Amino acid sequence: MAEVVFSQVKKAFGTFTAVHGLDLHIKEGEFVSLLGPSGCGKTTTLRMLAGLEFPTSGDIQIGDRVVNDIPPGQRDIAMVFQSYALYPHMSVADNIAYPLKKRGVGRADRDIAVAKTAELLQLTELLKRKPRQLSGGQQQRVALGRALVRDPKVFLLDEPLSNLDAKLRGYMRVELVELHRRLGRTMVYVTHDQLEAMTMSDRIAVMEGGVLQQFAPPAEVYAAPANRFVASFIGTPGMTLMDGELSKQGGTWRFDAPGISMDVGALNDRAEPGGACLGVRPEHVSIGQGSINGTIQVVEKTGHENIVIIGLEGGQRLTGRVPAPQSWSIGENVQLSLDAEQAHIFGPGPHGPRLNLPSNIATPDLKSAAN
Amino acid sequence: MSSSNTLLERRYAALGLMLIAPTVLVFCAVIIYPLVSAIYLSFFNIFTPTLEGEWVGLSNYTELLQTGQFWSALGNTLIWTVGTLSLQIIFGIAMALVLHQNIWFRSLARSLILFPYFISTVVAVLVWKWLFNDLYGIMNHLLISAGIIDFPMDFLGTMPNAMVSVILVGAWKYFPFVVIAVLARLQSIPDALYEAAKIDGAGPIARFFDVTLPQLREVLVVIILLRAIWDFKEFDLIFLLTGGGPINDTQTLPLLVYQEAFALNDMGRASAYAVVMMAIMLVFMIVYIRRTRSEEGS
């Protein structure tokens, strides 16, 4: 077990900088997801940790060793690749045994370790098969087995579920969380799928444009996004973001946009009168009564709830989420209200910082509450 | 075809037959007819200029198997094929690995490497004969200046020099084929396999034997079979370089066929040699066909 520390790590490919001065402290035994859109630098970060890319500057530490100059095979890490990268000519057993073989573990010990790993991952029946004779989910488990067999300090997982179908993905999410709980090893997980990051991680590192946007537990990332980018990236359906003006009236702030006007209470000291952005999660929109007028434009029925898209008088669109029995017809005029307590205010620009006071948002740590 | 086939299916089948018919006809004219007539001629004692002769049954074959010339030619053919093919494979893989790296002028080097393969055999042999010449050839000049030999070597006129020279020139001429085929396969090996091997603790040599070579296996089998067939029947390179000499020491089966047919004017005997050669190559062909079939199957 080991902690992983990135200190001012930068990676440039020619003139393009993939990762800008990253500082990240992953605790021992923690499950951390690197989450972001493609090209955000998350995979580069993982590959630097694996030793497959070399940082342009800065230090990477695994346990108490700076590993910048240590080759991948000696970093005491294991990695699961998106494509699984199983050796096609080797049987499942040989694939799993390979990292042990390369470290000079004797045949008898290898066989014992392979048998143990295979049992853990329910691969015992498949040990003699070749990778091409396996389904995607089985190949995935073999790739996991090859990583597990050596009992490394840190597990690196590069979008390991993205080649599986939706049902299997859901199943494997649960399996991975269970595995993490049993092994207690540090795991770094790269994904662009927020559902995976939200459901599996102890903490999520949201990245964009090579810059770390927020590093916090899933509930906090959801309930108190650090900036407008994180707010827009996390949540399905996404948070409605409306540009408008902030003004101060006495001790409280007021937000005005075409068709909408509301008191947002106290804000932190980064708040300034002028351009700002209001963010509202769909579940914080109440339809039926209120001071805001809108027209129902789209109703998406998902079964247990309906996603309603409402056009406001100013031309803005707002997404709401209501339990399934409630529904409206297209074109219907409705009154609605927003939960001011749960409204988010961000500074101007695509990365405008969060302006709410920390105490404004309840941030229950769902994972620790469940334990 | 069962009688339950619909009209449309029968029409498609007829169209298919019509489309392959020209190919089948050409195939029969240039492959089947010569093949059958070669087998037919091998049962006659035929004088080449007049193409007249008498039926002799299997005596061409029995004589052929009893003469030492056939067996020595077969031996030469095997030495030449195994020798030149091994060198082609070794140099071909080595060069493909070099050209797969990110080296300077990589695309230029990739084009240049094809040069020996594309150059006409006659031109290549003339150039090599100049290089090998014992009076003014640069090979002897360099070897003498380097102090390796004291007197000019006869590269093509003595044994084993002649066989070694032929094998080397053959390897030089045909190794680019191996380079191209291996390079194409190398480029399709996923990088993730090498990265996984690195993380699993494999060094460069282990990565070659555990990742690269197994991935090349299939393509190497095909290359070896194809090149074995082509080298086995190689004629012009050997004929132009040594003419089968000194004496008959580099005379391979194709050269022997030529000698029987056009120097000794015995077309029947030549046909018998050709048929035996075909029978030997049939073995390679059957292996090749089974190999490619099983690949398509998997």
Side-chain angles (χ1 to χ4, degrees), chain B residues 45-256:
Chain B
N45 186 358
I46 289 185
F47 185 56
T48 307
T50 58
L51 284 182
E52 281 172 6
E54 65 211 11
W55 171 269
V56 292
L58 288 172
S59 78
N60 277 332
Y61 289 97
T62 52
E63 279 170 33
L64 158 167
L65 294 173
Q66 281 159 9
T67 58
Q69 209 175 10
F70 168 77
W71 295 106
S72 82
L74 180 62
N76 288 337
T77 311
L78 291 177
I79 292 170
W80 143 259
T81 303
V82 171
T84 196
L85 182 56
S86 316
L87 292 179
Q88 286 166 27
I89 297 292
I90 292 167
F91 287 123
I93 293 178
M95 188 53 81
L97 287 172
V98 170
L99 291 180
H100 188 54
Q101 306 301 316
N102 276 317
I103 50 167
W104 283 6
F105 306 118
R106 181 164 69 167
S107 45
L108 181 70
R110 280 182 185 177
S111 323
L112 281 179
I113 210 75
L114 287 175
F115 183 70
Y117 195 63
F118 288 148
I119 199 172
S120 145
T121 307
V122 180
V123 176
V125 167
L126 280 178
V127 171
W128 277 101
K129 277 186 134 171
W130 282 335
L131 298 176
F132 281 145
N133 191 288
D134 46 358
L135 293 178
Y136 47 80
I138 194 162
M139 290 288 203
N140 275 311
H141 174 73
L142 289 176
L143 288 173
I144 290 171
S145 340
I148 296 170
I149 51 173
D150 295 328
F151 301 101
M153 256 167 89
D154 189 356
F155 282 101
L156 300 171
T158 58
M159 281 300 278
N161 298 8
M163 183 56 95
V164 172
S165 301
V166 169
I167 285 174
L168 285 176
V169 174
W172 170 83
K173 180 95 177 69
Y174 296 117
F175 89 101
F177 176 80
V178 182
V179 175
I180 293 304
V182 170
L183 192 57
R185 184 68 187 92
L186 281 178
Q187 286 166 341
S188 68
I189 301 177
D191 284 341
L193 282 182
Y194 290 105
E195 293 175 347
K198 274 187 200 169
I199 289 175
D200 287 342
I205 294 168
R207 290 202 293 277
F208 176 75
F209 283 104
D210 293 336
V211 178
T212 311
L213 212 52
Q215 294 274 312
L216 291 181
R217 216 178 68 102
E218 290 297 320
V219 74
L220 281 179
V221 168
V222 173
I223 293 173
I224 288 172
L225 284 170
L226 274 180
R227 282 259 35 114
I229 292 169
W230 293 339
D231 289 335
F232 192 83
K233 66 182 185 62
E234 180 68 33
F235 174 77
D236 44 3
L237 190 134
I238 304 170
F239 183 75
L240 293 166
L241 208 52
T242 66
I247 315 177
N248 284 330
D249 286 339
T250 58
Q251 188 178 53
T252 56
L253 283 174
L255 270 69
L256 186 59

Side-chain angles (χ1 to χ4, degrees), chain A residues 194 222 228-242 278-285 300 305 307-309 317-321 344:
Chain A
Q194 50 165 302
Y222 186 81
R228 181 174 173 164
F229 171 78
V230 178
S232 66
F233 192 73
I234 302 285
T236 325
M239 183 188 277
T240 304
L241 293 161
M242 285 179 272
L278 171 74
V280 185
R281 292 251 178 242
E283 57 270 32
H284 300 139
V285 176
E300 291 178 334
E305 63 181 14
I307 309 296
V308 185
I309 295 174
R317 280 177 148 200
L318 190 72
T319 307
R321 165 186 266 165
H344 307 260

Side-chain angles (χ1 to χ4, degrees), chain A residues 178-205:
Chain A
E178 175 68 10
L179 206 59
H180 175 244
R181 199 182 56 76
R182 281 167 71 172
L183 300 171
R185 291 284 180 272
T186 312
M187 291 193 178
V188 184
Y189 187 100
V190 161
T191 182
H192 63 265
D193 182 339
Q194 50 165 302
L195 185 65
E196 285 175 15
M198 295 293 282
T199 52
M200 296 163 72
S201 320
D202 294 316
R203 281 194 291 171
I204 301 176

Side-chain angles (χ1 to χ4, degrees), chain A residues 36-186:
Chain A
S38 29
C40 73
K42 57 188 190 293
T43 297
T44 307
T45 304
L46 190 80
R47 290 170 60 83
M48 285 192 286
L49 182 53
L52 300 172
E53 302 282 357
F54 301 99
T56 310
S57 61
D59 283 336
I60 300 172
Q61 207 178 316
I62 298 175
D64 41 20
R65 285 198 298 180
V66 172
V67 293
N68 288 24
D69 296 322
I70 297 178
Q74 294 166 26
R75 290 190 177 197
D76 208 359
I77 48 151
M79 183 156 165
V80 178
F81 291 81
Q82 183 175 0
S83 60
Y84 314 139
L86 300 178
Y87 308 119
H89 61 289
M90 294 185 198
S91 67
V92 168
D94 289 343
N95 262 285
I96 296 175
Y98 190 73
L100 297 179
K101 196 173 162 190
K102 288 299 126 187
R103 281 169 178 78
V105 177
R107 172 165 273 285
D109 291 337
R110 287 207 304 263
D111 289 347
I112 294 168
V114 168
K116 220 174 102 186
T117 309
E119 203 185 311
L120 178 72
L121 295 168
Q122 295 156 34
L123 288 169
T124 310
E125 305 287 302
L126 308 173
L127 282 176
K128 290 209 172 75
R129 297 219 198 147
K130 293 281 173 67
R132 66 167 180 277
Q133 297 167 305
L134 304 178
S135 70
Q138 290 167 334
Q139 291 187 28
Q140 162 78 73
R141 293 215 302 276
V142 178
L144 267 174
R146 192 173 60 183
L148 289 175
V149 72
R150 227 174 65 222
D151 196 17
K153 281 186 191 151
V154 182
F155 285 94
L156 312 180
L157 303 110
D158 185 9
E159 310 218 15
L161 307 186
S162 58
N163 288 350
L164 302 179
D165 63 56
K167 200 171 169 187
L168 200 52
R169 205 152 46 202
Y171 172 76
M172 283 307 293
R173 278 207 310 265
V174 178
E175 292 287 294
L176 278 174
V177 169
E178 175 68 10
L179 206 59
H180 175 244
R181 199 182 56 76
R182 281 167 71 172
L183 300 171
R185 291 284 180 272
T186 312

